[in-house]
């Protein structure tokens, strides 16, 4: 039997772990600040909520095993993958050779950097001195030190805060403890795996294995990332405002499982696509359910059309959330499908019948429904067939 051992020989003689090293959180934060770390365009948007950030802080302080490694690609001659600024998420113009592109770990890196830079989105995360753990701040509590103060890039910010909030004796006792916690976290070392000059396909293959245990990266996220090249950032211009509005109405817990952070908002665009681009004519596979997302169609739209369908969806999402809230239906609307279907109803229905909608929310159950049945429920709803 003829055998070709060349591929095996090449693999045997190449050890990608030789470039592995360690970097502290402080070193990584400085690289982010200086623009030395970038994010490839195909990467998913930021998706960690406060609970995940809090869990990371607690594990970095109390955990008995290291946090998982960070995986980076040092950009070389294969500079064909557009890169985003780690902080602003704006596309970087010009060459990126020599920069380290984050293949895996951007959520952890972002979490640590937001504390380091005292990002306003972290103002409700604090170290609770009475409970000896990081947790959410529901109101001002003297026993809680905000992470943006504790891990601030400037240690004097922490010093000023402590001696302002506590008496001189208490501050003198507390400050060394807080300095010790700050030092542990900022000097916490991550193992860094660095690959050299990977092509786009090689990076995506690595990303797939690291993020999805070998499964394919979400087609939705890979497709949507390419909208950046059309000057439309769907994360900042639609997905994030969508999630923020849902959170503002205290429906954030309905975003489960984790994959729904993207699929739910994108599926919610279907009614607006039909209203604006199909004259309001409904097709059964345009229901606002994750299996019917139209990411391929979105890629073909102009920036003007993308803006229109995003605005129309957000406008009617607010109507749906107002309806649920004003009619005290939150206990019945215990799945995101209610919000998504009502959003579609306000976009497509001819003649709004809110009295019937109240009974619809109370009587409709989504448990154990097939996709086919979910489409039927939606079609009946938008046709006022209660």
């Amino acid at each position: 039997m003829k055998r070709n051992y060349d591929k095996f020989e090449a693999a045997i003689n190449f050890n990608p772990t030789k470039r592995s090293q360690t970097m502290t959180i402080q070193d990584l934060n400085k690289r982010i600040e200086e623009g030395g770390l970038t994010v490839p365009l195909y990467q998913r948007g930021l998706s960690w909520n406060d609970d995940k950030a809090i869990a990371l802080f607690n594990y970095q302080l109390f955990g008995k095993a290291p946090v998982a490694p960070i995986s980076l690609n040092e950009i070389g001659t294969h500079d064909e993958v557009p890169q985003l600024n780690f902080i602003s998420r704006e596309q970087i113009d010009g060459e990126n050779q020599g920069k380290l592109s984050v293949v895996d770990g951007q959520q952890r890196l972002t979490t640590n950097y937001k504390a380091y830079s005292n990002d306003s989105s972290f103002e409700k995360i604090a170290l609770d001195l009475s409970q000896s753990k990081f947790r959410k701040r529901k109101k001002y509590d003297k026993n809680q030190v905000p992470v943006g103060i504790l891990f601030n890039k400037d240690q004097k910010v922490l010093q000023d805060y402590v001696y302002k909030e506590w008496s001189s004796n208490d501050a003198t006792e507390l400050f060394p403890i807080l300095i010790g916690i700050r030092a542990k976290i900022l000097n916490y070392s991550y193992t860094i795996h660095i690959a050299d000059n990977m092509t786009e396909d090689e990076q995506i293959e690595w990303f797939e294995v690291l993020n999805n245990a070998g499964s394919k990266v979400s087609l939705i996220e890979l497709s949507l990332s390419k909208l950046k090249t059309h000057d439309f950032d769907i994360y900042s211009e639609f997905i994030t405002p969508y999630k923020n509005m849902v959170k503002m109405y205290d429906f954030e817990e309905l975003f489960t499982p984790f994959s729904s952070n993207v699929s739910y908002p994108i599926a919610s665009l279907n009614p607006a696509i039909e209203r604006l681009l199909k004259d309001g004519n409904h097709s059964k596979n345009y229901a606002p359910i994750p299996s019917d997302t139209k990411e391929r169609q979105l890629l073909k739209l102009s920036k003007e059309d993308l803006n229109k369908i995003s605005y129309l969806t957000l406008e009617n999402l607010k109507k749906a959330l107002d309806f649920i809230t004003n009619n005290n239906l939150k206990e019945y609307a215990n799945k995101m499908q209610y919000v998504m279907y009502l959003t579609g109803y306000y976009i497509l229905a001819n003649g709004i019948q809110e009295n019937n909608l109240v009974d619809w929310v109370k009587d409709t159950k989504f448990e154990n429904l097939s996709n086919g049945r979910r489409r039927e429920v939606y079609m009946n709803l938008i046709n006022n067939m209660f």
Side-chain angles (χ1 to χ4, degrees), residues 145-177:
V145 182
V147 293
I149 301 295
L150 180 59
F151 300 132
N152 196 284
K153 69 179 77 175
D154 183 356
Q155 181 175 299
K156 191 174 185 301
V157 171
L158 173 61
Q159 181 177 333
D160 291 345
Y161 181 86
V162 171
Y163 282 91
K164 176 184 176 183
E165 295 295 325
W166 282 275
S167 68
S168 179
N169 288 340
D170 287 344
T172 300
E173 178 183 338
L174 177 60
F175 189 58
I177 298 295

Side-chain angles (χ1 to χ4, degrees), residues 34-54:
E34 294 166 359
L37 285 182
T38 62
V39 181
L41 186 60
Y42 61 80
Q43 270 272 29
R44 78 174 90 187
L46 297 175
S47 55
W48 273 20
N49 56 25
D50 287 351
D51 289 337
K52 283 185 172 289
I54 288 168

Side-chain angles (χ1 to χ4, degrees), residues 88-323:
S88 70
R89 289 308 197 270
E90 294 297 322
Q91 189 165 326
I92 300 170
D93 297 325
E95 293 186 356
N96 292 294
Q97 293 187 24
K99 294 179 179 178
L100 295 174
S101 179
V102 181
V103 176
D104 181 60
Q106 71 152 320
Q107 308 293 344
R108 285 165 284 157
L109 289 168
T110 301
T111 295
N112 286 317
Y113 183 76
K114 281 186 173 183
Y116 181 77
S117 60
N118 198 10
D119 191 278
S120 60
S121 65
F122 272 21
E123 64 183 2
K124 292 186 177 180
I125 302 177
L127 176 67
D128 191 304
L129 300 172
S130 61
Q131 296 191 24
S132 301
K133 66 179 182 180
F134 292 96
R135 62 191 295 264
K136 287 184 180 179
R137 302 174 72 200
K138 294 188 176 179
K139 59 182 179 179
Y140 175 78
D141 186 332
K142 192 173 182 179
N143 284 315
Q144 295 177 332
V145 182
V147 293
I149 301 295
L150 180 59
F151 300 132
N152 196 284
K153 69 179 77 175
D154 183 356
Q155 181 175 299
K156 191 174 185 301
V157 171
L158 173 61
Q159 181 177 333
D160 291 345
Y161 181 86
V162 171
Y163 282 91
K164 176 184 176 183
E165 295 295 325
W166 282 275
S167 68
S168 179
N169 288 340
D170 287 344
T172 300
E173 178 183 338
L174 177 60
F175 189 58
I177 298 295
L178 294 178
I179 286 296
I181 294 171
R182 169 189 167 84
K184 174 174 180 176
I185 298 302
L186 292 182
N187 291 307
Y188 190 100
S189 291
Y190 274 82
T191 296
I192 308 296
H193 296 314
I194 302 177
D196 182 49
N197 198 27
M198 299 178 86
T199 65
E200 181 174 17
D201 287 343
E202 289 170 336
Q203 291 177 55
I204 290 177
E205 180 184 8
W206 194 18
F207 176 78
E208 289 169 350
V209 172
L210 291 169
N211 285 275
N212 296 304
S215 64
K216 289 294 181 184
V217 175
S218 164
L219 175 61
I220 297 176
E221 291 181 329
L222 282 177
S223 297
L224 296 180
S225 69
K226 297 183 186 298
L227 286 172
K228 268 276 194 177
T229 62
H230 301 300
D231 197 30
F232 185 83
D233 184 348
I234 199 161
Y235 288 98
S236 64
E237 298 189 49
F238 174 69
I239 293 176
T240 298
Y242 184 103
K243 290 166 61 177
N244 286 343
M245 190 181 299
V246 171
K247 183 177 181 180
M248 183 176 68
Y249 281 80
D250 200 25
F251 281 86
E252 186 181 18
E253 71 276 5
L254 301 186
F255 271 100
T256 56
F258 180 75
S259 59
S260 66
N261 277 271
V262 172
S263 62
Y264 282 175
I266 297 305
S268 294
L269 289 171
N270 287 356
I273 293 174
E274 292 194 304
R275 169 58 62 193
L276 295 175
L277 305 178
K278 296 177 59 184
D279 296 323
N281 296 314
H282 175 62
S283 300
K284 66 179 181 180
N285 64 338
Y286 273 76
I289 59 178
S291 59
D292 287 356
T293 56
K294 304 300 177 189
E295 60 274 5
R296 292 186 184 278
Q297 184 172 350
L298 293 174
L299 287 173
K300 299 175 183 178
L301 300 181
S302 65
K303 186 175 190 287
E304 182 182 6
D305 283 339
L306 289 165
N307 280 324
K308 286 180 179 178
I309 64 171
S310 297
Y311 177 81
L312 183 61
T313 302
L314 292 172
E315 180 183 43
N316 287 280
L317 170 65
K318 185 178 187 304
K319 291 180 182 179
L321 291 166
D322 280 337
F323 170 77

